[in-house]
Every structure is written in C-alpha cells, then in structure tokens.
Amino acid sequence: MPERVRYVLDTNVVLYDPQALLAFPGKHVELVMPISVIEEIDQFKGEMTETGRNARLASGLIDQYRQNGNLADGVAQANGSTFRVVIWSHEENGFPRELDLRRASNRVLATALQIARTDQVRTVLVSQDTNLRIKANALGITAIAYEGGEKRDVHELYTGYTVQKVVGKQMEEYRGREWLEVEGRFPPNHCLIVQDDKDAGRYLAFRYDAKRAMFHPIRDLSKGIWDVVPRNPQQALALDLLMDPSIAIVTLIGKAGTGKTLLALAAGLQAMMEDNTYAKMLVSRPIFPMGRDVGYLPGTLEEKLQPWMQPIFDNLDFLISTPVSRHSQVKGYETLLDQGLINIEPLTYIRGRSIPKQFMIVDEAQNLTPHEIKTIITRVGTGTKIVLTGDPYQIDNPYVDAVSNGLSHLVERFREQAMAGHVTLVRGERSPLAEMAANIL
C-alpha cells in the first residue's frame, strides 16, 4: 500500500504555476496550503502581470474547491488527492525563536513543522525558495523544489548535439560525405560534431535529417554570416540552424560571452537584408519582471527602453557600424530603426498580437515562465522565425530556476519537433578575460 504523504505548498509555487495544486496525484496524497499562503496570493491578485494572473487563477481554483466542501476538512481533487487549507496555531508551535514569524515564508515553515509533529504522516515542504528548503531541512522536514512534475537536473538538459572524438586520420573518412549513417536514435535536427581528439579546433559538423534517418554536413560557413565567422563547432551549428528557413524556432543556451545574441542578430540581418527572407526583424527582451509597465520610467518609449535594450544596440553597432564591416554602408543600426526594418520592443506589449514574416529574437528568455514562453510563441504568424536565447544560470525571476524556467522547458518540449533546433554554446568567445570570469567567478 502506498505511503501516505502530505505536501505543504509555499506561495512561490502557486504563483509560478497555479496547476501545481494538481501536480501531486494519488489517493494517498494530501495537499496542504497554509492560510498565510492564501493571504499572500491575495496581495498579488490586482497586479497586471503574469504573477497577478497566476494569483487570480489559483484563487479561482481554490474557490471552486470551496463550493465542493469544507476546505478545513479537505476537498477531493480530480487527480485523487485531497486539498486542505490549514491555520497554524501560535499556542502550540515549538517554533525556533531565531526565525522571525513576521516573514511569510517562516509562517509556511511553521505550518509544515506543526503538521509533521502532530501527525505521524510523511510531510514534504514544496518551495522554490532555496533558503526556506535549507531551514526546513535543519528542522528535520523534507523539502523539495517544484519542477512541474518533471524531475530533471540542469546538467541533464538537452544540448542539441553529440561529440564524436576521432583520431586525425579518421577525419578524412567523414570529409566530403554527403550523407552519414550513425547507429542510434536522434531527434530531428540533432547535430553531430566529429572532432579530432588531439586538436579541438579541427572538426566536421553534421545535422540529422529525421526523414532519411541520416546526418548531412552543415552549410559552408568559412566566409561567415554578415561578417561573423564561427569560432567553435557549437557556433557553427547555431548559425546553420539560424540560417535554415525551414526551422521555425531556434533556442540557444549558453553562458555570458558565448555569442548567443550576436549570432542571432547576424543571422537576422543576413536573412532580412541580403536574402530577403523576412520583411523585418523584431528584437525583444523581458523588462523584468515581465509585464511591468515602462510608463513608470521617465521619457519617451525609446528613452525608457534604452537601459533594457542597450546590449542589443551594442551588438547591432558591432555588426553594422564598425569600419571593418563589409555592411557599414547601412549607415548604422539607427537608420534601420528609423526605417522600421528593425523593431525593438518590450515583451510587455506582445500579448494579443500576430507577427507574420519576421525574424524575431527574444533575448534573456531564461527569465520567462513556461506560460510566458507559450504566450510569446503563439503570437508567431506565417513565415516568421523565432529565436530564443538565454543563460539558465543567470536568472533574475524569483519564481523560476535553471530547470523550471520557460527556456529550459521549451528546449525539452520541442526537442522532437522537426521545425525546431537547439544548441547549447559552451565556450566564451567575447575575450579571454570574459571567458575566465564566466568560468571561475
């Protein structure tokens, strides 16, 4: 017979995903929500943000439960589990004095501690708050992070490619091959790097064709794309995916300095200005937190966006305005902005739009939730290619982590789709100092 277990939900779990209430199925499971969580949710309901939306959805779902029974006694859920709201007792708590009960997270912890000590039932605290999980462990309570039902480690996330080391003479066996058959099962557009075991800079790159169940060489990138020549095999794979119009969605993950944004912008400029594949380029980043109205900042819309979009402008300036660029006749990215060929917009205003025949880049996508990612991608119209870039290790959103963020979620969900491609960039190319800082700091 399955062991009975009680899951105590923290506020940040519900604000991240209201469907977390249904994420722990089974007749042996009881889902407990401290009354303090209800109070916290109420504080967010009025916000016109994704967090506010989730707060309203969670409140609505709990109100439906209330109509089916007494929340204090427990109400049956569709997945077989029971949902209950618990009021923590100040009189019989035994809570450490060192922990300030004016903090909402500590009140959630106190509720979990009281339940664990009152009933001989396994109690698990579910929270996205790392410090709260540490405190729970110190008090003898099992604590876990909510991962949407998918138990994954960030190091197990899909990289998009396989590396095959060969000795120098074997490289010639792969060179010039139009098709390459490799034993095993691979997702569509999975990449293969055949690399010299003694010289990492000597490699051949292939991409998997799911229809023919074979690999084919990637395009010749020796002359670069918009003056950008790949400096490592992962960058070559990324450019190959970015320049293929049959691939509607590309995700690029990598630490700072690996070239995610630069590669995406170079491919977008090439496809729009030289190949005429797209009518314009749309570049956006989350104004964190997503949904915050830039009207709170002074100045015109362009002036308000300047601090958020400066990294994009820096990359565009490098690609267009530098003297060494063959495309310097464009006379600066400002001209493209004035002509409407490049649009720089906050994600705040994207809901409800339809975006056809554009090369769309969403930078810093690791700060988005899975629902926000869904909202963005469902805006994509006919003939549009969307590129999402980000670093799961640099997250500012307190409601997601390296595994549960929308970008990582998207990579895993789209890995089997023929219209999608993904590459994890691993080596920084910005400068030796930037690469060292990214690795050791």
Side-chain angles (χ1 to χ4, degrees):
M1 187 173 181
E3 177 190 14
R4 289 184 62 201
V5 58
R6 286 196 177 110
Y7 291 100
V8 180
L9 287 189
D10 194 7
T11 311
N12 49 40
V13 174
V14 183
L15 294 180
Y16 166 69
D17 181 11
Q19 294 302 316
L21 297 176
L22 296 168
F24 303 91
K27 294 183 178 180
H28 61 289
V29 172
E30 183 179 51
L31 205 64
V32 174
M33 179 170 287
I35 193 69
S36 59
V37 171
I38 302 292
E39 285 187 308
E40 278 197 278
I41 291 175
D42 189 59
Q43 296 175 13
F44 288 96
K45 285 196 308 181
E47 291 189 4
M48 300 306 295
T49 64
E50 194 67 22
T51 301
R53 172 190 174 276
N54 289 345
R56 292 188 291 275
L57 288 175
S59 294
L61 185 57
I62 296 170
D63 188 53
Q64 292 178 18
Y65 290 165
R66 180 187 59 79
Q67 299 174 34
N68 298 330
N70 192 322
L71 294 177
D73 297 330
V75 177
Q77 298 195 99
N79 63 1
S81 65
T82 302
F83 174 81
R84 182 161 64 101
V85 176
V86 172
I87 300 177
W88 171 67
S89 172
H90 285 266
E91 287 74 22
E92 301 175 4
N93 56 73
F95 199 66
R97 295 180 179 179
E98 292 82 0
L99 300 178
D100 187 359
L101 284 172
R102 290 175 297 181
R103 300 186 62 179
S105 60
N106 285 339
R107 294 196 294 273
V108 172
L109 181 58
T111 303
L113 182 61
Q114 179 176 302
I115 292 173
R117 290 178 174 176
T118 302
D119 301 320
Q120 296 301 314
V121 177
R122 181 175 170 230
T123 301
V124 179
L125 175 62
V126 185
S127 176
Q128 304 294 73
D129 186 337
T130 305
N131 287 335
L132 186 61
R133 296 199 299 268
I134 293 172
K135 288 186 285 187
N137 183 262
L139 293 175
I141 300 173
T142 302
I144 62 173
Y146 174 72
E147 298 176 355
E150 300 178 19
K151 305 298 182 182
R152 305 194 312 270
D153 183 84
V154 66
H155 301 293
E156 298 173 354
L157 293 176
Y158 180 56
T159 63
Y161 61 86
T162 302
V163 178
Q164 182 175 327
K165 298 280 188 178
V166 298
V167 296
K169 294 181 179 180
Q170 288 180 307
M171 288 283 289
E172 300 307 316
E173 298 178 13
Y174 293 93
R175 195 180 304 278
R177 297 277 294 272
E178 185 176 353
W179 292 99
L180 182 66
E181 192 170 358
V182 179
E183 185 177 349
R185 182 186 177 278
F186 304 94
N189 298 312
H190 185 82
C191 299
L192 173 67
I193 301 171
V194 180
Q195 197 169 46
D196 192 318
D197 62 346
K198 294 183 179 179
D199 183 3
R202 190 165 177 254
Y203 66 89
L204 297 171
F206 302 83
R207 179 148 59 91
Y208 189 66
D209 186 322
K211 291 183 179 180
R212 301 190 62 165
M214 289 189 290
F215 286 87
H216 62 85
I218 66 170
R219 71 190 64 228
D220 181 9
L221 295 166
S222 58
K223 295 182 180 179
I225 300 295
W226 199 271
D227 294 336
V228 174
V229 179
R231 296 185 177 182
N232 57 61
Q234 287 79 15
Q235 287 191 350
L237 297 175
L239 280 175
D240 184 60
L241 293 171
L242 289 167
M243 293 307 300
D244 189 341
S246 69
I247 300 179
I249 180 169
V250 175
T251 48
L252 301 179
I253 283 180
K255 61 188 177 183
T258 50
K260 307 179 296 294
T261 307
L262 183 68
L263 293 172
L265 288 170
L269 288 169
Q270 177 71 28
M272 179 186 65
M273 302 293 294
E274 299 291 332
D275 302 341
N276 296 316
T277 308
Y278 307 98
K280 61 175 66 175
M281 185 161 63
L282 172 62
V283 186
S284 192
R285 315 177 92 212
I287 296 179
F288 187 77
M290 183 182 180
R292 179 177 177 180
D293 191 351
V294 293
Y296 288 109
L297 300 175
T300 64
L301 179 60
E302 291 74 15
E303 291 171 338
K304 294 172 184 180
L305 290 176
Q306 184 72 26
W308 306 100
M309 300 302 179
Q310 190 58 49
I312 302 296
F313 296 144
D314 290 343
N315 279 292
L316 285 173
D317 189 56
F318 174 80
L319 290 167
I320 295 176
S321 303
T322 54
V324 296
S325 174
R326 291 186 292 109
H327 305 281
S328 57
Q329 69 272 14
V330 176
K331 298 180 181 179
Y333 68 86
E334 295 90 347
T335 303
L336 299 178
L337 292 173
D338 294 339
Q339 294 175 350
L341 295 175
I342 298 180
N343 289 338
I344 310 292
E345 297 183 7
L347 288 174
T348 309
Y349 304 136
I350 201 170
R351 183 177 279 115
R353 291 187 57 192
S354 180
I355 304 170
K357 205 168 175 57
Q358 296 187 31
F359 192 97
M360 183 177 176
I361 301 173
V362 179
D363 200 25
E364 300 293 343
Q366 79 278 359
N367 282 318
L368 303 173
T369 67
H371 184 270
E372 289 167 338
I373 288 285
K374 180 179 179 180
T375 299
I376 293 165
I377 296 176
T378 52
R379 300 303 96 208
V380 173
T382 303
T384 287
K385 185 187 189 84
I386 183 169
V387 181
L388 299 102
T389 70
D391 179 5
Y393 291 99
Q394 292 189 4
I395 293 179
D396 301 312
N397 188 340
Y399 300 112
V400 299
D401 58 25
V403 173
S404 65
N405 70 86
L407 181 58
S408 297
H409 177 80
L410 174 66
V411 170
E412 293 298 320
R413 289 300 181 94
F414 267 74
R415 62 187 294 179
E416 297 291 342
Q417 303 304 315
M419 66 170 59
H422 169 71
V423 174
T424 298
L425 303 170
V426 294
R427 197 172 80 199
E429 300 289 357
R430 181 172 291 157
S431 70
L433 176 58
E435 170 69 354
M436 182 179 293
N439 289 332
I440 70 175
L441 292 182

